[in-house]
């Protein structure tokens, strides 16, 4: 009798353990299902983005401009515009350092050299990313061709080996005036051809007409804006007149030297600035846009 009771206790205990293990297994499965449901609900929840940690990336490479003829009327304004935009600026001219006594001038690296002698100035190209040429001059036809053409062609060829962008400040056609200044315009157009050949995607040619502003002649200042500004206001709206044969180009509007400088610096530093020839109306239009 006692043995039967013991056996019955054994079976009851055994059954309880099995039931418990089965219940445990069942509960475990139910628990996993519950967890899976919660996970599936999380998928439907909106994705939460935590604030990312700031990554200190190295700054982009700085731009360095070389201004050819940087101590002249147009060149000095180009230097000032580039300095005002926080760029590194160097100037190359036959006379070297400018006589301008203004704060921005002390931040320009002034180089002396002659574009007709490449060996005298090629070191000025070190570290330069863009070149802006403001070189030009008047005189006999042979002299004008040499200054406006040969000198700039030498600069373009030397720069093409290591500089990505080149901006050339040329001149608008003035019809019959072109024949009177034949060496001047033939030189300009020869330099333009060289630039478009060497710099298919990084060459920009600006063709302003009469450039006005305050010119320095020794210790004197000539306020050419007194004449140029009113003429620009009138003639920039008279574009159809410039299409008149022979005399049409005489209606080309003047442009402020600060506008030319602004567009030149932008063309030299903005990688999406369109290459090719920009006429005076384009210069005025670009100068009125906000700087990039």
């Amino acid at each position: 009798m006692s043995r039967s009771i013991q056996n019955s206790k054994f079976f009851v205990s055994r059954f309880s353990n099995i039931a418990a293990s089965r219940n445990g297994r069942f509960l475990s499965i139910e628990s996993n299902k519950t967890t899976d449901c919660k996970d599936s609900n999380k998928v439907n929840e909106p994705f939460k983005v935590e604030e990312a940690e700031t990554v200190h990336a190295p700054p982009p490479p700085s731009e360095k401009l070389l201004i050819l003829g940087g101590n002249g009327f147009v060149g000095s304004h180009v230097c000032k515009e580039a300095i005002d935009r926080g760029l590194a600026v160097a100037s190359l001219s036959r006379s070297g350092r400018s006589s301008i006594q203004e704060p921005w001038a002390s931040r320009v690296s002034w180089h002396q050299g002659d574009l007709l002698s490449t060996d005298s100035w090629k070191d000025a190209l070190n570290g330069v990313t863009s070149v802006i040429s403001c070189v030009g001059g008047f005189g006999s036809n042979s002299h004008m061709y040499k200054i406006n053409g040969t000198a700039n062609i030498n600069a373009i060829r030397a720069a093409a080996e290591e500089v990505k962008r080149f901006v050339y400040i040329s001149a608008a056609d003035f019809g019959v005036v072109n024949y009177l200044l034949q060496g001047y315009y033939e030189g300009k157009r020869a330099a333009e051809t060289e630039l478009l050949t060497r710099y298919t995607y990084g060459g920009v040619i600006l063709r302003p007409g009469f450039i006005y502003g305050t010119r320095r002649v020794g210790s004197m200042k000539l306020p050419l804006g007194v004449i140029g500004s009113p003429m620009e206001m009138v003639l920039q709206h008279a574009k159809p007149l410039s299409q008149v044969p022979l005399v049409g180009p005489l209606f080309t509007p003047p442009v402020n030297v600060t506008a030319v400088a602004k567009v030149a610096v932008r063309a030299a530093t903005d990688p999406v600035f369109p290459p090719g020839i920009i006429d005076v109306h384009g210069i005025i239009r670009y100068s009125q846009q906000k700087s990039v």
Side-chain angles (χ1 to χ4, degrees):
M1 183 69 178
S2 62
R3 188 175 181 180
S4 298
I5 292 172
Q6 288 176 354
N7 289 337
S8 63
K9 287 181 178 179
F10 171 78
F11 286 115
V12 170
S13 174
R14 181 90 179 267
F15 177 78
S16 299
N17 291 336
I18 293 171
S21 68
R22 285 180 178 175
N23 289 338
R25 186 181 299 167
F26 176 75
L27 290 172
S28 176
I29 293 171
E30 288 296 321
S31 175
N32 288 338
K33 285 182 179 179
T34 304
T35 303
D36 291 341
C37 289
K38 289 180 179 179
D39 290 341
S40 64
N41 289 336
K42 286 182 179 179
V43 173
N44 295 327
E45 291 178 0
F47 185 68
K48 296 180 180 179
V49 180
E50 296 183 358
E51 184 177 353
E53 185 177 341
T54 303
V55 177
H56 297 286
S62 59
E63 297 278 353
K64 181 180 179 181
L65 270 60
L66 175 63
I67 315 302
L68 305 179
N71 60 358
F73 171 55
V74 177
S76 61
H77 282 82
V78 173
C79 287
K80 183 179 184 302
E81 173 68 22
I83 289 292
D84 289 344
R85 293 186 60 172
L87 302 170
V89 179
S91 167
L92 175 74
S93 62
R94 286 180 294 178
S95 57
R97 185 175 181 83
S98 172
S99 60
I100 296 175
Q101 301 297 321
E102 294 182 13
W104 64 264
S106 61
R107 296 167 59 189
V108 177
S109 298
W110 302 98
H111 298 273
Q112 186 174 10
D114 187 350
L115 292 180
L116 296 174
S117 175
T118 306
D119 294 337
S120 70
W121 63 273
K122 201 168 183 180
D123 289 344
L125 287 170
N126 292 337
V128 170
T129 55
S130 301
V131 174
I132 301 175
S133 178
C134 310
V135 173
F138 297 95
S140 66
N141 278 327
S142 60
H143 177 77
M144 288 190 290
Y145 186 90
K146 184 182 295 185
I147 297 300
N148 297 282
T150 306
N152 284 297
I153 290 171
N154 289 348
I156 292 165
R157 289 176 178 174
E161 300 175 5
E162 50 191 301
V163 178
K164 62 182 181 179
R165 296 184 72 83
F166 198 111
V167 179
Y168 177 44
I169 299 180
S170 186
D173 285 317
F174 275 98
V176 294
V177 178
N178 290 24
Y179 296 99
L180 300 176
L181 299 172
Q182 187 174 354
Y184 179 88
Y185 281 97
E186 286 183 354
K188 291 284 188 184
R189 299 302 172 251
E192 289 181 3
T193 300
E194 186 69 24
L195 179 60
L196 295 176
T197 301
R198 301 273 181 170
Y199 284 89
T200 306
Y201 302 106
V204 178
I205 297 166
L206 304 184
R207 283 185 176 178
F210 169 64
I211 301 176
Y212 68 87
T214 302
R215 284 182 178 265
R216 297 173 181 270
V217 180
S219 59
M220 295 178 58
K221 293 183 178 181
L222 301 178
L224 300 181
V226 174
I227 300 173
S229 183
M231 289 178 64
E232 179 185 1
M233 292 295 293
V234 174
L235 294 178
Q236 68 175 311
H237 301 294
K239 189 174 181 179
L241 293 176
S242 63
Q243 307 302 319
V244 177
L246 296 178
V247 297
L250 297 177
F251 291 98
T252 300
V255 61
N256 195 313
V257 65
T258 57
V260 176
K262 181 178 179 180
V263 178
V265 173
R266 178 181 171 185
T269 56
D270 184 354
V272 300
F273 193 93
I277 299 172
I278 309 296
D279 67 9
V280 64
H281 297 281
I283 294 172
I284 294 172
R285 183 175 67 254
Y286 280 116
S287 69
Q288 293 170 348
Q289 297 176 356
K290 292 183 179 179
S291 299
V292 179

